[in-house]
Amino acid sequence: MIRDLHRRVRTLRVTLWTLIVPPTTWAAHFLFSYLWAALSCAKRGYFAEAPVLFWAGTVLALLVILASGWIALIQSRLPGDNPPHEQGTESDRLRFLAYSTLLLAGLSFVGVIFTAAPVVFIGDCR
């Protein structure tokens, strides 16, 4: 089953649209977090005791970013020349986009964690 999944991932086509999935997910989570905090503070004056909706959104964002990074990792390991991928071939373009997506996925993962951190450390809406 895992090999079949690897095979399917390798046949996916990497484009600039796949490159923007991790930062877009991070931005959506950022917007969701601030809206959740604003609504929570406006209604109650403090964060919810067990913010299930917030943590579900955070876990969903992290899973989307991890899936994007995993797909990029598999596609960046396609056989070919060693880096730098500066030739104009299709495989070099694919690996460059995949590697860029992998780096953006790592940055976005950390960004989502830093966006969610205030809910853990700050309990009120001062």
Side-chain angles (χ1 to χ4, degrees):
M1 183 171 154
I2 297 291
R3 288 183 187 213
D4 185 44
L5 189 59
H6 273 266
R7 214 173 310 125
R8 285 186 184 176
V9 167
R10 287 182 189 217
T11 61
L12 289 176
R13 184 159 185 228
V14 176
T15 63
L16 286 176
W17 290 108
T18 58
L19 183 72
I20 66 169
V21 168
T24 303
T25 305
W26 176 18
H29 178 265
F30 190 82
L31 178 65
F32 167 74
S33 298
Y34 274 81
L35 287 175
W36 176 83
L39 290 174
S40 179
C41 289
K43 285 186 174 184
R44 295 188 185 113
Y46 59 90
F47 292 146
E49 291 295 322
V52 176
L53 180 65
F54 177 77
W55 291 118
T58 300
V59 167
L60 179 66
L62 290 174
L63 287 175
V64 168
I65 291 170
L66 279 175
S68 177
W70 182 68
I71 290 169
L73 179 67
I74 290 172
Q75 290 190 347
S76 68
R77 293 183 176 181
L78 288 176
D81 296 333
N82 292 328
H85 308 299
E86 57 192 17
Q87 303 298 323
T89 64
E90 182 70 23
S91 66
D92 281 344
R93 186 184 72 81
L94 172 81
R95 287 184 291 158
F96 174 76
L97 284 174
Y99 190 67
S100 299
T101 303
L102 182 63
L103 292 175
L104 276 172
L107 177 67
S108 299
F109 190 87
V110 171
V112 167
I113 289 174
F114 278 140
T115 303
V119 176
V120 175
F121 297 113
I122 301 173
D124 58 358
C125 299
R126 287 187 256 174

